[in-house]
Structures are given as C-alpha cells and as structure tokens.
Amino acid sequence: MTLGTEPVHGFSVRKLLWAAGVEPHELRLEEYAHVDRGVALALRGFDSERSELVEGAVAITSGVLTRWRQPRPELVAGLVRCLDLRHAHAAGDAAMVPARLTSADSTQDITAAVPALVRAARHPYERIAGPAALALALLDHPAVMQPVHRWLSSSTRLPYFQVTSLGQVLRPLAGRADALLPGIRRLLVDSAGDEHLRPVLAALASWGPAASEAVPELLSTLATRNARWACDVLGAVGPAAMPAAHTLEAFVRGTAQPPRHDDGALAPDGVRRWHGVQNAAWAHWRITGEPELFLTFLRDAAARGLGRADLGRLAELGPRARACATAVRPLLESPGAWTRVQAAHAWWRITDDADAAVPVLLAALEPLKSGAADEPCRAAVRHIARIGSPACAAAPLLEAALSSDRCFPADVYPAARAALAAFETGPRVGRPVPGE
C-alpha cells in the first residue's frame, strides 16, 4: 500500500473504495481537499463486518493521521474499536497507528486507545501484540513490561512480529534497563547466533552505557555471526566494555576474525577483510579513548573510497580525522543524497568549514516544501542544528515546517526547534542535538 504522492493502491483500500463506488485515483490523501472524503470512507469501513474493509479503514486512517495535524478523534475511536476485533491483521495494523503518533509534538490524543493497547499487548498472536507493545513502549506505559518479559523468557525462539520487532519495542525502554537486562542477557546466550537477534542488539546500542551489564554476554556474541552488531553495542557502552578491547583490536588488525556470512572484500595483500572491521575499529576507539587504530583504518578506507558509514564515523572524530578530509570533499557532489548529507556533516566537523557544507544541507531540505521529510532531509535538519548560525538560511523553511498543517516524522520537530535556537546563539560545535 502506498499513501504518498500516488493514488491509494493497497488491496484492502481498493476493496473499500470499490465498495463505496470510488475509483482509486479519486482519493489522494496528500491533498487536503481529499481528506474529509477519506475520513468518511474510513468510518464506513470501521462499521463493516468484512475484515478486508476494516483493514482498508485502518490504512486510510493511518494515511490521514500521519499526514495531517488536525485532530481526528473519530478516527482514533475507530482504531480503538478495531483493536478489540477478531480481525488479526486489522488489529495489528491498528496498533501501529498510535505507535506512529506517539511523540511530544503529536496533535492526536491517543489516550482513549491506551486501555485497548494494553489488552492487545497481551494477545497471544504476535501480529497484534508486537505493535501494541511498541505503542506502549513509546508511551513508556508500565503495561509494556508484561509482554516483553514473556518474549524474553521464550528466548529459544525469538518472536517474529511481521510488522515490528522485539528490538523496536526495546529501543525506547532504556529507562527500564535494570528490569529488562536479566532477560536480555539470557536471550544473548540462548540466541547468540540467531540473525533475528540483530534488532535487539541495535536496540542495546541505542541504550549506550545503560546496556553495560550485558558486556559478558556481548563478548560471547563476538564469536558469532552477529559480531558486527555486538561491536556496535560494545562501542556504545564505552569504557565499561574494556574487556572487549583486545578482541576488537585483533579483528581490526586481522589476527582474528569472527565467523563470516559473506565473502568480504579482498585486501591488496590477498587477505579477505571481515566486513565488520569498521565497527570493531570504531568500538575500540569508543572503549579505549585511543583513536590511532580507528584513524589508521579510516585512512586505509579513504584510499579505497569512503562509504556512507565511514563518513558518519569520521564526523564523530572531528578534527582528528583531518588526514581524511581530501577524500571527503569530492563526496559533497555524490549522486546519492544520503552520501552528500553525510559528507557535508563530516566535512564541517573535520574542517570547521561551513561554506562548503551548508549549501549541500540546505538542498537536502527541499522535501520539506512539499510536506515530506526523507531520511537525508531529517539528517540535514539535525546537522544544521549543530552548525548553527552559518546555516541560518534554513530558518524560513524550518519555521514553515513547524507551523505547517502537514505532519512530519517526529524527530523533525525537536531538531528544527534546536536549529532555530542555534541560529540565535551561534554555532553549536560539539553540543548534542535531539535525535542524534
């Protein structure tokens, strides 16, 4: 299903439109003139006994509520009713909508949905329970703990949620780490090499030092095919992961390697590099505070051609990565928007030269004019907030986004406000920005 700049084409939505005598091309939810019609069709679908029409109603509701900021309590009420229906796919999709709307800047009051989400999170079918638990996690509701503990205690078989993952549910729960880490540590032992563990490891990386109690189990994970993701967690933990430093250094120098699941890249000396060497080198720096090994890796990477992930790591190093600056500069004109944005941020962090970086970042804000914000655009807003006053030409567009009736992804709003504040106070070198 697409509810973007094209007509609505999802099967369940088409079924609902056909039942109402509406051609699919006649409903474009990105145009506000079509929204009232979409709301009426959704309410009609919620009243249906046919599961595919209820699913269509949920899809249209999601399209309206995630695009437009005007409160629509009647649609939230429809989602609440849907959460208690026997239609599993419709209920699972209905739970995902409040999850998408849970932020400090949401204009939709989803309070009425919380009791139904609590009930749905207890559902034995993970297609329903997973999205409901995600919504509760984003709300930091204590009822999320029961299903999460249930999934962690069944760690010999990681749950497959279809529309979300255990990792996504865990990510907002860093504040509850003490209660969750015993189960997570068992999971790391029981499912150390399971590829479905990777979203959980990504969540632990987002927790940072709060995941430090899991370091012993993460050391064991370095001996599995999940080693690259374990490196990211250990690096995010920082100095508390010092027991991993020797192993990480061995990975970087090539004197040891974890199990492989791809062919890797062939080095000039004929030795295949492990695909996670960059992650290990970065983690070694974050743990030890010694950048030399990481810088050596990045200088070698620059000679081969920097990738997007390399650019993000270079930006973290800042002026210490000056030897790589000449490899970064041409990437400001890369054909890929993500690479251009990452290169602009890295260039500014390394050289403190905003003149070359800011035009690239301003160009990446173009989607905001049409009420959209893709990943490069959102990253550009965060980077502009760090640069501060040299990027003040972005102010009118950011102010328009904040006051727009269009609904942007949740992380746009705090970053845009931080950028506008930074324009008034000067550059924000080294200061954290919401969303980064």
Side-chain angles (χ1 to χ4, degrees):
M1 177 192 62
T2 55
L3 288 167
T5 57
E6 299 297 323
V8 179
H9 292 302
F11 173 75
S12 60
V13 175
R14 289 202 306 270
K15 293 282 283 187
L16 178 56
L17 296 179
W18 289 333
V22 178
E23 292 293 329
H25 69 271
E26 295 177 359
L27 183 67
R28 293 179 177 270
L29 297 179
E30 75 279 3
E31 298 179 14
Y32 189 70
H34 289 218
V35 170
D36 285 343
R37 190 177 196 183
V39 171
L41 287 166
L43 295 176
R44 175 173 175 173
F46 281 129
D47 289 333
S48 175
E49 295 295 325
R50 295 169 56 185
S51 61
E52 69 272 20
L53 299 189
V54 179
E55 291 169 26
V58 173
I60 291 176
T61 294
S62 178
V64 172
L65 298 185
T66 58
R67 284 180 179 279
W68 300 98
R69 290 175 60 78
Q70 290 84 354
R72 295 284 182 175
E74 69 275 30
L75 293 183
V76 174
L79 292 173
V80 171
R81 290 162 50 203
C82 188
L83 284 167
D84 287 323
L85 293 177
R86 295 181 180 179
H87 305 313
H89 285 275
D93 291 346
M96 279 301 297
V97 181
R100 296 187 183 107
L101 299 174
T102 302
S103 79
D105 291 286
S106 177
T107 56
Q108 305 299 331
D109 183 0
I110 61 170
T111 306
V114 171
L117 288 168
V118 172
R119 292 190 295 272
R122 297 174 183 151
H123 200 284
Y125 185 32
E126 289 153 0
R127 178 69 169 75
I128 297 174
L134 175 59
L136 293 173
L138 291 166
L139 290 167
D140 196 26
H141 193 288
V144 71
M145 300 297 280
Q146 180 180 348
V148 172
H149 281 309
R150 183 177 76 242
W151 292 318
L152 292 175
S153 67
S154 303
S155 57
T156 54
R157 184 185 68 84
L158 277 165
Y160 176 60
F161 296 158
Q162 295 178 301
V163 292
T164 183
S165 70
L166 177 57
Q168 285 175 282
V169 177
L170 289 172
R171 185 178 288 265
L173 298 178
R176 300 178 183 271
D178 289 346
L180 292 171
L181 276 169
I184 291 172
R185 295 177 71 178
R186 288 194 301 272
L187 178 68
L188 292 174
V189 172
D190 294 342
S191 303
D194 188 332
E195 67 178 26
H196 293 116
L197 185 66
R198 291 168 192 171
V200 174
L201 293 169
L204 291 179
S206 74
W207 286 12
S212 59
E213 287 186 15
V215 166
E217 291 74 25
L218 292 165
L219 291 175
S220 299
T221 310
L222 290 177
T224 74
R225 293 183 175 186
N226 288 327
R228 179 159 64 92
W229 290 265
C231 288
D232 287 345
V233 187
L234 291 163
V237 166
M242 188 62 74
H246 179 74
T247 301
L248 295 171
E249 181 177 356
F251 287 169
V252 178
R253 297 191 185 281
T255 58
Q257 284 192 356
R260 310 184 60 81
H261 61 79
D262 63 5
D263 291 334
L266 198 62
D269 56 7
V271 177
R272 289 198 180 276
R273 295 186 182 90
W274 175 49
H275 68 284
V277 169
Q278 185 221 70
N279 307 71
W282 171 80
H284 183 272
W285 165 55
R286 289 292 302 268
I287 291 167
T288 65
E290 300 170 358
E292 290 75 17
L293 190 66
F294 188 30
L295 284 168
T296 299
F297 168 81
L298 288 171
R299 283 193 292 266
D300 291 344
R304 299 189 302 271
L306 294 170
R308 196 176 79 198
D310 298 315
L311 292 166
R313 306 299 199 197
L314 283 167
E316 289 187 63
L317 281 164
R320 286 171 291 193
R322 186 170 290 275
C324 299
T326 54
V328 173
R329 184 65 177 81
L331 297 178
L332 296 176
E333 300 176 2
S334 168
W338 245 125
T339 300
R340 291 195 303 273
V341 167
Q342 293 290 75
H345 183 227
W347 177 260
W348 172 72
R349 289 282 293 129
I350 293 168
T351 68
D352 200 31
D353 172 21
D355 291 343
V358 167
V360 175
L361 298 175
L362 293 177
L365 300 183
E366 190 69 20
L368 294 177
K369 295 179 180 178
S370 58
D374 57 14
E375 293 279 354
C377 174
R378 291 153 62 190
V381 177
R382 296 193 297 271
H383 301 332
I384 283 170
R386 297 198 70 179
I387 291 173
S389 55
C392 64
L397 192 50
L398 296 178
E399 289 169 347
L402 289 173
S403 62
S404 173
D405 288 335
R406 297 298 294 263
C407 188
F408 294 97
D411 58 348
V412 169
Y413 296 98
R417 285 194 294 269
L420 292 171
F423 298 159
E424 298 178 359
T425 59
R428 295 167 52 93
V429 177
R431 287 163 140 186
V433 174
E436 286 202 313

